[in-house]
């Protein structure tokens, strides 16, 4: 039974722990020098209220992804696309080349592991633990191992199709091996449900009346051929790739000793 004395002792210990944590957090003063271009990017970040949805070093909203280390994981072409035409819930901002470069510089210069880490996420660092990351890794492994007995040149085109898919915000709407909540179809079934001409037209123009905008950046003939090969590969190996994706997504490891506990009060 917890006596009044023990309750007071427990409360005192909790207050002491809170005081120690507060001292550790607020005495860790960091000064991050930024270039003129990065300062311009910071002004854009503040002017567009990006922190409403996104976090930097634990500060900000939770609607969008944490952008503390975005420069290390987002391709520059995809970043420009996101800043111009948006993706999913992110609205189009219509950034100019200069503004996009400034934002990229800001994200690049704050992406410093020695300063701290972003939002706490479970999973193996550097590999991604979500379904989309597992989906991409499963395809990369299948291509590397020569899945389905395809010729080397065909697999090279599949890899090029995955690269073209990855640098565009396709994954904002399309989910691996299932229809998404916004109505975007399962891409592994697309090659079998559309004629070659219809698929070519969708890849070139999108389906605006059904909510799919034209691809950004636009797909040239080589890109369209590569993505067609990628979609056909998904359809031909759907069961194996779905199983591999599920296995990779379930294989999540977490080293509790490596977590920066004081950065997540």
């Amino acid at each position: 039974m917890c006596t009044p004395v023990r309750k007071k002792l427990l409360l005192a210990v909790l207050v002491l722990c809170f005081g120690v944590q507060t001292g550790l957090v607020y005495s860790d003063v960091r000064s991050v020098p930024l270039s003129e271009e990065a300062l311009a990017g910071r002004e854009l970040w503040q002017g567009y209220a990006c922190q409403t949805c996104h976090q930097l070093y634990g500060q900000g909203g939770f609607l969008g992804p944490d952008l503390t280390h975005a420069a290390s994981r987002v391709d520059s072409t995809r970043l420009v696309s996101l800043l111009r035409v948006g993706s999913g819930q992110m609205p189009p901002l219509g950034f100019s080349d200069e503004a996009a470069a400034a934002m990229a510089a800001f994200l690049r210069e704050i992406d410093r592991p020695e300063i701290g880490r972003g939002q706490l996420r479970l999973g193996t660092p550097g590999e991604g633990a979500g379904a989309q990351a597992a989906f991409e890794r499963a395809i990369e492994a299948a291509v590397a191992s020569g899945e389905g007995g395809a010729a080397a040149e065909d697999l090279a085109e599949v890899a090029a199709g995955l690269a073209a898919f990855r640098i565009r915000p396709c994954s904002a709407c399309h989910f691996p091996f299932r229809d998404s909540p916004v109505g975007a179809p399962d891409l592994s079934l697309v090659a079998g449900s559309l004629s070659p001409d219809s698929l070519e037209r969708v890849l070139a123009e999108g389906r605006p009346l059904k909510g799919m905008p034209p691809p950004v950046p636009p797909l040239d003939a080589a890109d369209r051929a590569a993505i067609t090969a990628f979609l056909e590969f998904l359809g031909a190996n759907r069961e194996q790739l779905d199983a591999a994706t599920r296995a990779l997504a379930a294989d999540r490891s977490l080293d509790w000793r490596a977590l920066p506990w004081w950065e997540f009060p």
Side-chain angles (χ1 to χ4, degrees):
M1 184 174 180
C2 190
T3 64
V5 173
R6 289 181 178 177
K7 288 181 180 180
K8 291 178 181 179
L9 180 60
L10 178 60
L11 181 60
V13 170
L14 291 175
V15 170
L16 178 62
C17 290
F18 178 78
V20 171
Q21 182 190 28
T22 302
L24 288 171
V25 170
Y26 288 99
S27 64
D28 187 16
V29 179
R30 306 293 178 92
S31 177
V32 184
L34 299 175
S35 67
E36 289 298 321
E37 188 175 34
L39 287 172
R42 186 175 67 179
E43 289 184 8
L44 290 168
W45 172 274
Q46 295 169 343
Y48 281 86
C50 302
Q51 69 276 8
T52 302
C53 298
H54 300 282
Q55 288 194 7
L56 290 178
Y57 295 115
Q59 299 296 317
F62 289 89
L63 183 61
D66 186 305
L67 298 183
T68 307
H69 304 300
S72 299
R73 55 184 172 79
V74 179
D75 179 271
S76 58
T77 304
R78 184 172 187 179
L79 176 61
V80 172
S81 172
L82 291 169
L83 292 173
R84 286 181 176 169
V85 302
S87 174
Q89 297 183 79
M90 178 173 172
L93 301 178
F95 272 32
S96 65
D97 290 343
E98 183 180 5
M103 182 63 77
F106 172 60
L107 293 175
R108 183 171 60 252
E109 292 185 26
I110 65 165
D111 184 5
R112 303 180 188 181
E114 69 273 14
I115 297 174
R117 295 178 176 85
Q119 181 180 328
L120 175 61
R121 298 181 187 276
L122 299 180
T124 303
E127 293 183 354
Q132 182 61 33
F135 170 67
E136 294 178 6
R137 288 164 56 201
I139 296 168
E140 290 170 346
V143 169
S145 64
E147 187 83 23
E153 57 270 22
D154 294 333
L155 290 174
E157 191 160 36
V158 171
L162 173 60
F165 171 86
R166 179 181 277 160
I167 67 172
R168 292 168 175 83
C170 309
S171 59
C173 295
H174 294 280
F175 288 10
F177 304 110
R178 64 187 178 94
D179 293 347
S180 76
V182 297
D186 178 349
L187 290 180
S188 66
L189 303 177
V190 167
S193 62
L194 294 178
S195 67
D197 288 344
S198 296
L199 180 56
E200 175 77 10
R201 188 162 53 254
V202 169
L203 292 176
E205 304 171 3
R207 280 182 161 179
L209 296 180
K210 293 190 175 183
M212 177 180 170
V216 177
L219 296 165
D220 59 24
D223 288 332
R224 294 196 297 273
I227 288 187
T228 297
F230 166 65
L231 295 175
E232 291 173 347
F233 183 79
L234 286 183
N237 300 279
R238 187 178 191 278
E239 291 185 7
Q240 303 94 307
L241 291 172
D242 187 11
T245 297
R246 292 177 186 274
L248 288 168
D251 182 20
R252 314 175 91 176
S253 61
L254 181 64
D255 183 358
W256 294 98
R257 296 169 300 178
L259 290 177
W261 293 102
W262 294 110
E263 294 183 25
F264 302 102

